[in-house]
Amino acid sequence: MTETQKNAPCVGIDLGTTNSLVSVFLNGKPELIPNSHGSVLTPSVIGVLESGEIIVGQAAKELRVTQPDACVSCFKRFMAQDRRFNLRGQEFSPIELSSLVLRSLKEDAANALGMPITEAVITVPAYFNDHARQATRLAGEMAGLTVRRMINEPTAAALVHGFHDRDDEKMITIIDLGGGTFDVTVMEVFESTLEIRSTAGESMLGGEDFTDRIVAHVLQTQNIALEVAEFQFPRRVARLRSECENAKRQLTRSDSASIRLPNEEGEFGGDPKTIHIDRTTYSSLCGPLLRRVSAPIARAMRDTDLAPEDIDDVILVGGATRMPVFQSFVENYFQKPAIARFNPDEIVALGASVQAALIERDAAVDDMIMTDVCPFTLGVEVSKELGGQRKDGYFSPILHRNSTIPISQEEMFYTVAANQPSVTVRVYQGDSRKTAENMLVGQLEVSPLPQGPAGSPLLIRFTYDISGVLEVEAYTPGGKKFRTVLTSHVESLSPQSVEDAKRRIASLKFYPREDQANLQLARFAERMLGELPSWQRQQLDQAIDFYESAMNRSNRDEFHHAKQMLLTCLSSLGISPEDDLA
């Protein structure tokens, strides 16, 4: 490895639906890196020229109006789907398209910094599911990057505020409306610590949908349905969408805007017809979208048991939050002005490089601490006996959404038949009661099971890592362990990455009842209980109950407290376990 390669920094990348950015932490602060055109914004658009050459960014964006079938955008929305885009006879998956954008950003950073770039922190919407997250990781690897961490976009934005306001103590809500996704995150800031309390969102709602409301409205005035127009006159719709996007931006500055109507070939001609739209009309058009926005906000607030008045600051992130209709909605919801202290287009990318600095232990951020949460509930499929019949397909949560990560949690389950030979532990992600409405993450085969009656116990443990790696373990009554590591079906993590995750998970887990000495202490205390007179039994009995409950909950601090209480109780009764347990 050369000296240049060794010193190459880990960059931060905001892989956006509409635009993408790259930043780097230099000289004690995050800085944006311009692309070859001198702009820090690179449109997330891929195009294919007639020669077959692939183009990225602004050049590809120009094709959206003139040759809409030769370019593609908004593919970030489909990262978790098996979807293909055909551009001049070449097929691309959303992962491949994203990798092309990432490669372009990587090259821009290398040119600006004068050294090859190999590592990155990449942001993702907080409400991206695990499949979409691992697909994003694969896109980074395809672009030649080692993805050190994926960080939620609102968390990245909060890092910028935390970096600049380390002495604050407040509760903040981050409202992130990008081009294609919407997230809301509630966070507590105190003593240079950023603690995520809850997150919610919708991965198919963003600024593009607000533009489409105008497009549909304009076409409706001409008695044309948007779906029909897109199929019959793609160039006309592409040109009209560009006009409506400009009108949406104009409505952030003016009370009204004009929209020229292109002909069927997507041209304006000499004297095109013009449609006028004012803020009142636009606000009415946006009503259904704002109702969709309100649901995740309410969910995030419920999960923290906070009311709008408990929030000190509301921070806006994402270019679409510039819309006055959106700002008014947010301010009415929280009954306070929203803050956009930093450029909403740039703050996420800046936060990604602050996260990179935290990973690399840069002295400028050595006093900052950040925690994050698992945005989804993870659990297993179970059967239930209803009306005398056993029915499959029910979801039993193990890790609940908005649990602080990393985390390890377990639940006890039971066999349904005598001498049941095996169990397939199917792992799902979601919040629905039925597994059919949740997402299958993977499964663990537990076979053979020891013979026994129906209702024999099976302990299942989930351990979730900050990198989105889920370890699933199952323990049979005989003590045999079955184990698998799930990475959401994206075959991209190297064996070394998985081994690193396993080591992190092993250091995280804390199960005191698996320590023989802890079990011996419990048995010793129970034996001593039987030797005490009745008037002394209650105190020790309660201490034993507390100790065993703490062993089952596996909270390190709680367990040590319970153990000390038990030892103190024994000592007050003149009982010393040291000789017995030696």
Side-chain angles (χ1 to χ4, degrees):
M1 179 181 291
T2 68
E3 190 67 24
T4 300
Q5 289 174 316
K6 187 170 72 172
N7 294 330
C10 176
V11 298
I13 295 178
D14 174 10
L15 181 62
T17 304
T18 306
N19 293 295
S20 295
L21 305 88
V22 58
S23 67
V24 65
F25 199 88
L26 288 177
N27 302 318
K29 66 180 189 302
E31 298 180 7
L32 295 171
I33 298 175
N35 57 30
S36 57
H37 299 285
S39 172
V40 296
L41 298 177
T42 296
S44 301
V45 186
I46 305 297
V48 177
L49 301 177
E50 291 183 5
S51 63
E53 180 185 356
I54 296 173
I55 55 176
V56 181
Q58 189 59 43
K61 186 178 180 180
E62 300 297 330
L63 296 178
R64 291 179 66 180
V65 174
T66 59
Q67 302 178 57
D69 56 341
C71 71
V72 62
S73 60
C74 298
F75 41 82
K76 175 181 173 179
R77 285 183 158 186
F78 308 104
M79 287 294 280
Q81 300 179 21
D82 184 18
R83 182 160 175 171
R84 309 292 294 183
F85 296 88
N86 191 300
L87 303 178
R88 295 193 194 273
Q90 297 188 51
E91 281 203 345
F92 300 89
S93 69
I95 297 175
E96 291 167 333
L97 294 167
S98 297
S99 75
L100 293 171
V101 175
L102 290 170
R103 184 176 295 276
S104 176
L105 296 172
K106 171 190 167 186
E107 292 171 354
D108 288 333
N111 291 334
L113 299 174
M115 61 184 75
I117 299 299
T118 59
E119 297 183 336
V121 169
I122 301 178
T123 65
V124 292
Y127 223 59
F128 251 20
N129 63 31
D130 272 358
H131 286 185
R133 289 169 186 267
Q134 298 303 340
T136 303
R137 181 183 293 276
L138 177 55
E141 294 178 359
M142 290 173 64
L145 292 166
T146 298
V147 182
R148 295 287 300 275
R149 183 76 53 83
M150 286 187 296
I151 178 176
N152 292 336
E153 290 167 2
T155 303
L159 276 174
V160 177
H161 282 267
F163 177 75
H164 290 280
D165 302 316
R166 302 189 201 193
D167 297 328
D168 284 357
E169 292 191 11
K170 60 178 66 174
M171 194 72 69
I172 63 177
T173 296
I174 298 171
I175 305 292
D176 183 355
L177 184 67
T181 58
F182 173 68
D183 289 320
V184 54
T185 293
V186 180
M187 173 184 294
E188 186 175 5
V189 181
F190 59 95
E191 298 178 352
S192 297
T193 299
L194 288 77
E195 181 180 326
I196 307 295
R197 298 283 298 275
S198 70
T199 192
E202 194 172 330
S203 58
M204 297 293 284
L205 174 63
E208 298 284 345
D209 298 283
F210 286 80
T211 301
D212 282 348
R213 295 293 295 177
I214 305 178
V215 175
H217 168 72
V218 171
L219 289 172
Q220 190 176 32
T221 65
Q222 308 302 304
N223 296 315
I224 303 173
L226 175 57
E227 295 78 8
V228 174
E230 285 184 315
F231 177 74
Q232 293 182 341
F233 314 113
R235 291 193 178 186
R236 182 183 194 179
V237 174
R239 179 76 71 175
L240 178 59
R241 183 170 277 113
S242 177
E243 283 285 297
C244 291
E245 177 66 28
N246 291 335
K248 184 180 74 173
R249 294 174 184 273
Q250 187 176 342
L251 287 171
T252 67
R253 305 181 299 271
S254 308
D255 291 333
S256 63
S258 299
I259 302 168
R260 296 176 297 170
L261 294 181
N263 59 28
E264 293 180 0
E265 286 72 39
E267 303 295 337
F268 291 120
D271 186 21
K273 186 176 180 180
T274 299
I275 297 290
H276 297 280
I277 184 170
D278 56 28
R279 283 187 176 179
T280 301
T281 301
Y282 182 50
S283 179
S284 176
L285 294 174
C286 294
L289 296 178
L290 294 175
R291 285 191 288 275
R292 287 172 61 188
V293 164
S294 68
I297 295 177
R299 186 163 63 249
M301 298 298 291
R302 282 197 306 271
D303 285 352
T304 55
D305 198 26
L306 294 172
E309 56 267 25
D310 297 322
I311 302 300
D312 297 302
D313 287 341
V314 181
I315 297 170
L316 298 180
V317 176
T321 60
R322 289 189 175 92
M323 296 183 295
V325 63
F326 185 82
Q327 292 181 3
S328 296
F329 168 81
V330 171
E331 291 175 1
N332 287 334
Y333 190 99
F334 289 95
Q335 292 297 298
K336 57 176 60 72
I339 299 171
R341 175 177 161 194
F342 299 93
N343 187 319
D345 288 315
E346 301 173 353
I347 187 173
V348 169
L350 292 171
S353 61
V354 175
Q355 174 64 73
L358 285 168
I359 292 173
E360 296 188 324
R361 302 184 183 277
D362 192 291
V365 293
D366 62 357
D367 62 334
M368 289 182 64
I369 300 172
M370 185 196 72
T371 69
D372 213 336
V373 297
C374 177
F376 295 95
T377 301
L378 292 162
V380 297
E381 182 180 30
V382 297
S383 64
K384 291 187 176 183
E385 190 168 332
L386 303 171
Q389 293 184 327
R390 184 160 292 280
K391 296 184 178 181
D392 297 331
Y394 289 90
F395 181 62
S396 181
I398 294 180
L399 295 182
H400 290 272
R401 72 171 188 250
N402 292 319
S403 298
T404 300
I405 56 175
I407 185 174
S408 189
Q409 199 77 27
E410 61 183 32
E411 294 289 342
M412 192 71 77
F413 298 89
Y414 302 91
T415 59
V416 298
N419 300 322
Q420 188 171 325
S422 64
V423 168
T424 299
V425 180
R426 293 188 177 88
V427 180
Y428 285 84
Q429 172 183 289
D431 288 292
S432 294
R433 182 168 175 260
K434 300 286 187 66
T435 55
E437 298 165 9
N438 294 329
M439 184 184 77
L440 179 66
V441 176
Q443 62 186 42
L444 171 65
E445 295 294 334
V446 180
S447 177
L449 288 174
Q451 291 192 342
S456 297
L458 179 69
L459 180 74
I460 298 176
R461 176 187 300 164
F462 281 9
T463 305
Y464 194 78
D465 177 70
I466 54 176
S467 298
V469 176
L470 174 67
E471 181 189 65
V472 180
E473 295 171 293
Y475 293 80
T476 67
K480 188 174 182 181
K481 180 170 76 171
F482 297 82
R483 174 174 175 272
T484 188
V485 174
L486 303 178
T487 54
S488 301
H489 304 308
V490 178
E491 299 173 0
S492 60
L493 292 184
S494 66
Q496 185 60 49
S497 297
V498 174
E499 287 303 315
D500 289 345
K502 288 179 181 177
R503 281 194 292 273
R504 290 193 302 269
I505 285 170
S507 65
L508 160 70
K509 289 183 292 189
F510 177 72
Y511 288 94
R513 69 166 175 278
E514 294 179 5
D515 187 313
Q516 195 62 33
N518 294 328
L519 292 175
Q520 287 178 359
L521 176 59
R523 301 294 82 79
F524 171 79
E526 287 178 340
R527 194 170 78 249
M528 293 299 101
L529 183 69
E531 298 181 10
L532 292 174
S534 59
W535 55 273
Q536 287 185 326
R537 289 173 62 93
Q538 184 176 6
Q539 180 186 2
L540 182 56
D541 191 30
Q542 291 176 344
I544 294 172
D545 287 347
F546 185 45
Y547 178 72
E548 289 195 330
S549 295
M551 279 202 292
N552 288 330
R553 280 193 288 271
S554 305
N555 180 295
R556 195 181 303 269
D557 293 337
E558 181 182 342
F559 170 73
H560 288 314
H561 175 61
K563 184 176 181 179
Q564 188 57 50
M565 282 185 60
L566 178 58
L567 291 172
T568 301
C569 180
L570 288 168
S571 178
S572 69
L573 295 169
I575 302 171
S576 176
E578 281 79 3
D579 294 337
D580 189 271
L581 300 181

